[in-house]
Amino acid sequence: MAGAQIPAPTRDGMPTLAPILEKVTPAVVNIAVLQRSPEEQNPLLRDPFFRRFFGGPGQAEPQIAAGSGVIVDAKNGYVMTNAHVVKDAREVLVTLKDNRRLPAKLVGADPGTDIAVVKVDPKNLVDVKLGDSDAMQVGDFVIAIGNPFGLGQTATSGIVSALGRSGLSMEGYEHFIQTDASINPGNSGGPLVNLRGEVIGINTAIVATGQGIGFAIPANMVKRVTAQLIDRGRVQRGWIGVALQPMSAELAQALGLPDTKGAIVARVYPDSPAAAAGLAQNDVIVGFDGTTVDDYHQLQRLSSEAEVGRKVKLDLVRKREKKTVELKVAEAPDTGPSGDTATRPPKRDRER
């Protein structure tokens, strides 16, 4: 499905996106990886067509065209991409638009948000500005740039189709920008750009059975995560110590709630901030430090982004009565969202 036609600057009386792309594309890169084991090769290599061009295990050219990235700090050589693009990579190679090929070092990766940062030699690089994703609205025009199917740098256009998408999986901190700008395998890690030439998202996922449904990580989330990855090589997340259950119309009625907003506490973990604050099973959290909680995905994100050691107020509904409690945010015992979802208990044995 083709993306929407974008109103654009004109050249010789004809509309064109060329000035925007001329500004942004020098900062967009191709990322190839050599993975740790043949069993974890890029799935593109299962296709005979791609094996013909990129080779397979044991062939002369072991590099695999895995995805895309964008230079966000030319002075220091920082390149942003998806965590799944560089997962289990033994070697990372970045190819610039001018065909320079630079070895890259992994600075840090955060599977929870699917964001990673690699570093290359900062000589003669061009970067691009990260914009304000919170300012985007449904209907705003956007451009997706990347390396789909290993074909080389490609730009597609469309609009912001939806904001704040979540529920794609139970494994991440989701708050996606949805777009109908064509995103295909190989676009992962490439930028979603507004008409000012600012990166407002990092392309990360598609609906395999759908057309015109792609997802990007919002730039504001990217800023927070990359700053921590560059500073300490990992992301420090807040944790309140509850497992959450999604709300439904039936549960809302049974609990005496006027609507389905909020998140149900399915379990309170021992020795957690929630336990110290007196939270209990079946409490419904409807507010987090002044922000209305729409669903458990939002609460998971709000708690993870809260500063460790900060005191926050939770608005609850308990047995049809409203209540406010205060707790001190702790550091999440796991790099993923497991401490705040109902999928599994927190893992405390991961090496930090």
Side-chain angles (χ1 to χ4, degrees), residues 303-321:
S303 62
S304 72
E305 293 175 356
E307 182 182 353
V308 173
R310 176 180 150 207
K311 291 184 178 180
V312 299
K313 292 182 178 180
L314 300 183
D315 298 319
L316 314 173
V317 176
R318 176 183 295 171
K319 296 180 179 179
R320 301 176 184 259
E321 293 185 1

Side-chain angles (χ1 to χ4, degrees), residues 208-233:
T209 57
Q211 294 185 7
I213 304 177
F215 301 95
I217 307 161
N220 290 356
M221 179 182 290
V222 171
K223 292 174 189 176
R224 289 190 293 269
V225 172
T226 54
Q228 293 196 55
L229 290 177
I230 292 170
D231 182 53
R232 58 170 68 99

Side-chain angles (χ1 to χ4, degrees), residues 282-337:
N282 293 328
D283 282 350
V284 180
I285 302 175
V286 295
F288 184 91
D289 215 32
T291 300
T292 300
V293 173
D294 292 324
D295 55 38
Y296 80 100
H297 287 290
Q298 183 192 21
L299 177 57
Q300 176 181 292
R301 181 172 55 84
L302 289 171
S303 62
S304 72
E305 293 175 356
E307 182 182 353
V308 173
R310 176 180 150 207
K311 291 184 178 180
V312 299
K313 292 182 178 180
L314 300 183
D315 298 319
L316 314 173
V317 176
R318 176 183 295 171
K319 296 180 179 179
R320 301 176 184 259
E321 293 185 1
K322 294 182 179 180
K323 183 181 180 67
T324 299
V325 300
E326 186 177 78
L327 56 76
K328 187 176 181 180
V329 177
E331 181 176 357
D334 191 272
T335 55

